[in-house]
């Protein structure tokens, strides 16, 4: 919400971020009374008292605040490759009965990192070219007092964000945000597939049971339904959000180039998945991504 609170509607970065925050801010602000308070829908849905619910939110908030670093893709793309069974050498050192599973895991994680790196590079190119249209150099970035206010709000929430010392820093952080609300959320936020089966991701179970009862299952589905909206897909024409200024032709052409690059990334994902991969990775296929967080 910092983009709405600190960037006026006529600011070029507000327009850059608009497709990637569509509906998300409104959903987040409306969800507060519905989900976080005592006796809210969420409180009724989980097996926690009010203190436990508050502690859970506090843990999630502090964990995100302390670890989220949008300028560092390794936090999302490379960290999984550090798992103990991720290298060929480590797989060879495992018992023979475990080596096949180890190789499968290594193959899947390598595919995840390869596709994610390629998609992030496409986003990085788009954001970098857009920022370059409105900011000629580091001095132009430093002289934008409105941008400085926006940046201060981001750092207040996410202390790992680097200082606004250059155009490069601006591009990397904005790239990280776009990456996380599109590909990142596509990978970890597909909640419906988890909650639709009461045997899989129930919010509470009764003693002696191994799945949610009818009440608990319906409560979880109710939260998914009232907080989820069908978002526009990433592949689409959203050039109407750009400023109608002297750069309009350039920004519209840039969006077209970005769309073409996304189609290329999608085709590359398809080609890799038709190859020798044991696990087909679709987390970074732009054809399956929405523009913004939908739940």
């Amino acid at each position: 919400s910092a983009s709405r609170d600190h960037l006026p509607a006529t600011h070029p970065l507000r327009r850059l971020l608009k497709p990637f925050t569509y509906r998300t801010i409104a959903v987040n602000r409306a969800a507060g009374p519905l989900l976080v308070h005592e006796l809210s829908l969420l409180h009724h849905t989980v097996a926690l008292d009010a203190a436990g619910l508050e502690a859970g939110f506090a843990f999630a908030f502090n964990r995100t605040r302390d670890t989220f670093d949008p300028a560092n893709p390794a936090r999302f793309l490379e960290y999984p490759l550090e798992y103990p069974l991720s290298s060929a050498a480590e797989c060879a050192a495992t018992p023979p009965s475990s080596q096949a599973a180890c190789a499968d895991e290594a193959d899947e994680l390598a595919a995840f990192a390869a596709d994610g790196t390629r998609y992030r590079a496409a986003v990085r190119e788009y954001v970098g070219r857009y920022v370059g249209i409105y900011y000629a150099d580091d001095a132009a970035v430093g002289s934008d007092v409105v941008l400085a206010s926006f940046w201060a709000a981001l750092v207040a929430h996410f202390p790992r964000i680097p200082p606004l010392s250059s155009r490069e820093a601006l591009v990397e952080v904005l790239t990280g945000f776009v990456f996380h609300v599109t590909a990142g959320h596509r990978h970890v936020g597909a909640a419906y597939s988890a909650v639709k089966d009461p045997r899989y991701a129930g919010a509470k179970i009764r003693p002696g049971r191994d799945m949610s009862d009818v009440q608990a299952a319906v409560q979880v589905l109710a939260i998914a339904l009232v907080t989820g909206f069908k978002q526009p897909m990433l592949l689409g024409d959203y050039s109407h959000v750009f400023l109608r200024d002297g750069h309009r032709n350039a920004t519209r052409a840039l969006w077209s180039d970005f769309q073409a690059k996304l189609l290329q990334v999608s085709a590359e994902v398809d080609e890799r998945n038709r190859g020798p991969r044991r696990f087909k990775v679709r987390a970074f296929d732009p054809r399956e991504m929405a523009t913004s967080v939908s739940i």
Side-chain angles (χ1 to χ4, degrees):
S1 60
S3 63
R4 181 176 295 180
D5 294 339
H6 295 274
L7 297 175
T10 55
H11 196 281
L13 295 186
R14 171 81 173 266
R15 300 302 182 98
L16 168 69
L17 294 172
K18 176 60 178 176
F20 307 106
T21 60
Y22 180 71
R23 284 183 175 168
T24 304
I25 297 172
V27 169
N28 284 347
R29 289 178 172 173
L34 181 68
L35 299 180
V36 303
H37 298 306
E38 185 175 1
L39 301 182
S40 65
L41 177 58
L42 179 62
H43 188 197
H44 283 289
T45 302
V46 299
L48 297 171
D49 59 16
L53 184 65
E54 182 178 351
F57 274 112
F59 174 82
F61 175 82
N62 291 327
R63 177 70 174 174
T64 302
R65 173 184 169 85
D66 293 341
T67 61
F68 182 62
D69 184 0
N72 182 9
R75 297 290 303 178
F76 191 90
L77 295 174
E78 297 176 13
Y79 176 74
L81 297 180
E82 298 174 5
Y83 286 144
L85 300 181
S86 63
S87 72
E90 288 165 331
C91 285
T94 61
S97 60
S98 302
Q99 288 183 6
C102 178
D104 285 346
E105 179 191 50
D107 178 76
E108 183 177 18
L109 294 176
F112 177 86
D115 289 357
T117 299
R118 181 68 181 90
Y119 171 71
R120 192 184 190 280
V123 174
R124 170 66 173 77
E125 179 183 349
Y126 166 66
V127 173
R129 289 175 61 189
Y130 184 96
V131 169
I133 291 173
Y134 287 97
Y135 297 94
D137 49 31
D138 295 346
V141 171
S143 64
D144 188 339
V145 295
V146 175
L147 174 57
S149 173
F150 167 66
W151 205 262
L154 294 181
V155 173
H157 284 286
F158 306 114
R160 285 180 173 268
I161 288 179
L164 186 60
S165 57
S166 65
R167 189 172 66 175
E168 177 70 15
L170 173 62
V171 170
E172 286 298 330
V173 169
L174 294 180
T175 296
F177 276 115
V178 173
F179 175 87
H180 277 81
V181 302
T182 54
H185 188 70
R186 166 73 179 83
H187 180 63
V188 303
Y192 179 69
S193 60
V195 303
K196 68 180 181 180
D197 188 338
R199 298 168 298 178
Y200 184 61
K204 60 186 177 186
I205 57 174
R206 297 186 183 277
R209 302 296 299 273
D210 59 0
M211 61 181 288
S212 299
D213 60 16
V214 174
Q215 180 194 58
V218 170
Q219 287 172 326
V220 169
L221 289 173
I223 290 178
L225 288 172
V226 300
T227 60
F229 295 90
K230 178 66 175 178
Q231 299 292 65
M233 300 305 288
L234 183 57
L235 291 177
D237 183 9
Y238 310 115
S239 59
H240 59 279
V241 305
F242 297 135
L243 292 172
R244 290 174 170 81
D245 58 8
H247 302 294
R248 182 162 174 76
N249 289 337
T251 54
R252 288 173 63 88
L254 176 57
W255 183 260
S256 295
D257 290 346
F258 180 47
Q259 293 290 295
K261 182 69 71 172
L262 293 179
L263 288 172
Q264 181 180 342
V265 172
S266 179
E268 291 171 359
V269 170
D270 284 340
E271 183 177 357
R272 293 191 189 102
N273 284 335
R274 288 195 298 267
R277 286 181 174 177
R278 286 185 289 272
F279 292 94
K280 312 307 179 186
V281 178
R282 307 220 59 90
F284 301 106
D285 185 347
R287 290 183 182 275
E288 300 187 9
M289 295 180 195
T291 59
S292 53
V293 175
S294 59
I295 186 170

